[in-house]
Amino acid sequence: MASQPVEPCTLALFGGLGDLALRKLFPALYQLDRAGLLAADTRILALGRESGEPATHMAEIGEHLRRYVPAGEVEEGAMQRFLARLDYLSMDFLDTDAYPVLADKLGPVARMIAYFATPAAVYGAICEGLAAAGLAERTRVVLEKPIGHDLDSSRAVNEAVAAHFPENRTYRIDHYLGKETVQNLIALRFANSLFETQWNQHHISHVEITVAEQVGIEGRWGYFDQAGQLRDMIQNHLLQLLCLIAMDPPSDLSADSIRDEKVKVLKALAPIAPEQLGQQVVRGQYVAGNILGKTVPGYLEEEHANTHSDTETFVALRAEIRNWRWSGVPFYLRTGKRMPQKLSQIVIHFKEPPHYIFAPEQRPLISNRLVIRLQPDEGISLQVMTKEQGLDKGMQLRSDPLQLSFSNTYRSARIPDAYERLLLEVMKGNQNLFVRKDEIEYAWKWCDQLIAGWRQQGDAPRPYAAGTWGPTASIALITRDGRSWYGDL
Ligand code: BG6
């Protein structure tokens, strides 16, 4: 990371005492400060509904910082410098009278970033308030996901924001785009002609994208139950990963060139008709089970749970992209809560050689796989076929990995959190890693038809025990095509 500070700005953080701000945003800003990337006069104003003394709330922010920044990375000097930039203002985001008070508090501002870490339902009111108080002109707005819960509601949010902020000052977050290894997909694909020439239906048989989490709902039942895993993870993170894997090479690295290519992929995603859902999509909901030797409750037994909920905590599906590059290549997507481990990984399965000359029993071994591990143990491995060593081995084949482990290669470098990168890019005014309005809308359109199909079919989620890889139907989903999930996880 370069250590030249970016231009100074005032960051107004709406939802400044919320979970996201405390767990992710303040630690990320602290790390930017520690790396020398925040200009001396950059200020951060946390805005929350919570009344009381600002000093009390700032102390609370400080305590959380010390909790969430790894111990070895808490440097007292940097911590004090960071805390000195902070201020707190209590305000009701829906109250129009609160915005002139905010403007007074801010004073003259050359460049402002308004970060909305609040429910999307209040984005419109915040934008109006900022505009009415004369705070919109030099401001970039950052919108957290989820933006709406379907196409119509996301359009309404986007329009309410667009009434005051043009697209080139609107930064929609999908934090997966800020992950170092996700950005590496662009380097891997477009800086290596080796892969790019093979990246199509002539050479690739299928693609797997798995984003598994070990955690359950973690006190977020109210939000999660309204959303479910399809809206919470597939509509954004998994479809973004799919786009980065499937898109055509952009003509340059500009934000719009990349986003234009991603949109083409989203537009080419084949809808899944209600009558195909049974074969192509599996919904699951975890029941009590065992994780790391501990019994954990089922989804319906979590704190504040509605015991009749049929919200899914797991989705596996088989998607198809209708274009020349990907015709006939299934993309298997799988994501769930309470899986045996936290794992985000993409596996590209290459086709068998066109003419097979080795012993028939070795045939199942034959196929190259490119495994891109996004988290944990970030790295890339390419499974290649070699011959067993030894006089007595004949032409016995084995599959060996060519490994590139980022954690080993860059042993001394810490991998920055996604939010560090994203906040830095907003400060620089670079929209590459943010999602454009039409991307969000095409992603919703595709997810909406799945949700409508589930409703029409009365499709209830299938139970799976916490600590397993989802309902058995998700295994059948892929074995029906004569394949299995990589590593038979
Ligand atoms: C968020 C989802 O967007 O991503 C959460 O709302 C999920 O439900 C989280 O836990 C996963 O992010 P990460 O970076 O831990 O993989």
Side-chain angles (χ1 to χ4, degrees), residues 145 175-176 179 211 213 215 220 223-224 232-233 236-237 337 342 344 375:
K145 75 164 259 281
H175 77 277
Y176 268 54
K179 289 182 191 272
V211 177
E213 293 180 83
V215 292
R220 295 192 310 152
Y223 152 74
F224 187 85
D232 188 48
M233 296 295 287
N236 35 78
H237 308 321
K337 310 277 185 226
K342 182 168 177 74
S344 300
Q375 58 186 16

